[in-house]
Amino acid sequence: MKSVLNRLAAVIVAGVGVVGLTTAPAQAATVITAHLEIGFNTGVPAARTINLNVHVPMNEYDANGYLIHGARIQVRFYGSDPGTDPMIYGPITWYKDDYGLTAGPDGIHLDYGWEVPQGSFLNEDSGVANNGDEVYIVAKFIDGDGATISANSNTEEGLY
């Protein structure tokens, strides 16, 4: 009887070891994508709508862990100009409980939109003849320890 119990215990320990080996370790965030969309509010002729989409791919367990431990997404708006790109607005930072920042099955997402009046910070060529504005964002994912990854979005062009 004792040898049967010893064999059973050995099988249980071996099974637990195999299960332990199949658990994936936490993955460091290494990729971030950003998308900017600037549109026109058809109900308010002078208003501009801004939609930000930022994605940091990872599994949902790690995404929640990052946010619980202080990770955040920070966005700055830049004007695209020859020679240098001036920062025109920001930084804006979203944390775990802020509207628009979520953890999901495919990672961390920031989906946020708002409305601004025409001639606001989106007018990146203010003070000169406005032949159009070129605006993009730089999105940073900053983990709880301060490590960062960043990405530039597409450039939106228009008269803002």
Side-chain angles (χ1 to χ4, degrees), residues 68-129:
I68 288 168
H69 291 98
R72 57 209 177 268
I73 291 180
Q74 188 176 80
V75 173
R76 287 181 168 89
F77 286 78
Y78 288 86
S80 180
D81 290 326
T84 183
D85 291 352
M87 186 178 75
I88 57 176
Y89 191 75
I92 310 165
T93 305
W94 286 264
Y95 293 88
K96 175 175 76 76
D97 294 326
D98 290 338
Y99 178 78
L101 185 63
T102 59
D106 62 344
I108 296 172
H109 287 271
L110 172 63
D111 292 308
Y112 193 80
W114 75 100
E115 196 172 272
V116 297
Q118 183 173 1
S120 66
F121 70 89
L122 293 173
N123 181 1
E124 58 100 14
D125 290 325
S126 61
V128 297

Side-chain angles (χ1 to χ4, degrees), residues 26-42:
Q27 296 294 312
T30 58
V31 176
I32 183 173
T33 60
H35 181 77
L36 172 65
E37 184 178 315
I38 301 172
F40 299 94
N41 182 331
T42 56

